[in-house]
Amino acid sequence: MKKNKGFSLMELMIVLIILGLLGSLIAPKLFSKVSSSKRKVAVAQMQMFETAIDTYRLDIGIVPASLDDLRSSNNPSWDGPYLPKAIPLDPWGKAYIYTIPGINNMPYGIKSYGLDGKEGGEDESADVIHK
């Protein structure tokens, strides 16, 4: 007689238990990286805004009144659009806050309030501020 080759139920259960244990050790470390990567995306988008605003300022002579001015304007000196696509939302799905003037006597400021959408906060709810 030919013996069937395959795994027994016990062997399959042992493999599933080992995979579950590995997953429970690795998953928390991976999920903690999601928060820091969102902050890095926010900073990268703010740097993109900074480049576009500085180019706008070179062309027009003043900083834009809003981020929307980077996409369209009636000013005759406007040589845009200064951003290739629509103004993105922050990584948490909220609009960036653009202020004139910025903090520390800067001409403008860009920030995101993080996950909670409120000023202040800690961890993933902490504000991300650029300029």
Side-chain angles (χ1 to χ4, degrees):
M1 281 214 342
K2 208 176 185 185
K3 187 172 182 183
N4 288 336
K5 292 185 179 183
F7 296 106
S8 70
L9 180 61
M10 185 57 78
E11 291 169 329
L12 288 174
M13 292 299 291
I14 290 171
V15 169
L16 288 175
I17 289 171
I18 290 171
L19 288 175
L21 288 172
L22 286 174
S24 68
L25 294 173
I26 295 171
K29 291 184 188 248
L30 290 177
F31 287 121
S32 70
K33 299 294 181 189
V34 171
S35 162
S36 65
S37 66
K38 285 186 177 185
R39 293 183 68 75
K40 289 177 184 176
V41 167
V43 168
Q45 286 178 331
M46 289 178 189
Q47 289 170 340
M48 176 185 65
F49 292 146
E50 178 182 11
T51 301
I53 291 167
D54 290 343
T55 305
Y56 178 99
R57 190 164 97 178
L58 285 172
D59 289 347
I60 309 288
I62 59 171
V63 296
S66 73
L67 291 176
D68 293 327
D69 289 348
L70 298 172
R71 294 288 300 150
S72 65
S73 176
N74 294 329
N75 190 309
S77 300
W78 191 81
D79 194 27
Y82 298 95
L83 291 174
K85 296 180 180 177
I87 308 296
L89 298 175
D90 71 10
W92 299 277
K94 297 169 185 71
Y96 284 98
I97 291 89
Y98 174 70
T99 57
I100 303 171
I103 57 174
N104 298 327
N105 296 323
M106 298 302 288
Y108 62 89
I110 307 167
K111 62 184 165 183
S112 168
Y113 288 144
L115 177 64
D116 64 356
K118 298 176 185 172
E119 193 167 3
E122 295 178 6
D123 300 325
E124 198 171 355
S125 293
D127 298 348
V128 181
I129 299 172
H130 187 68
K131 280 197 169 183

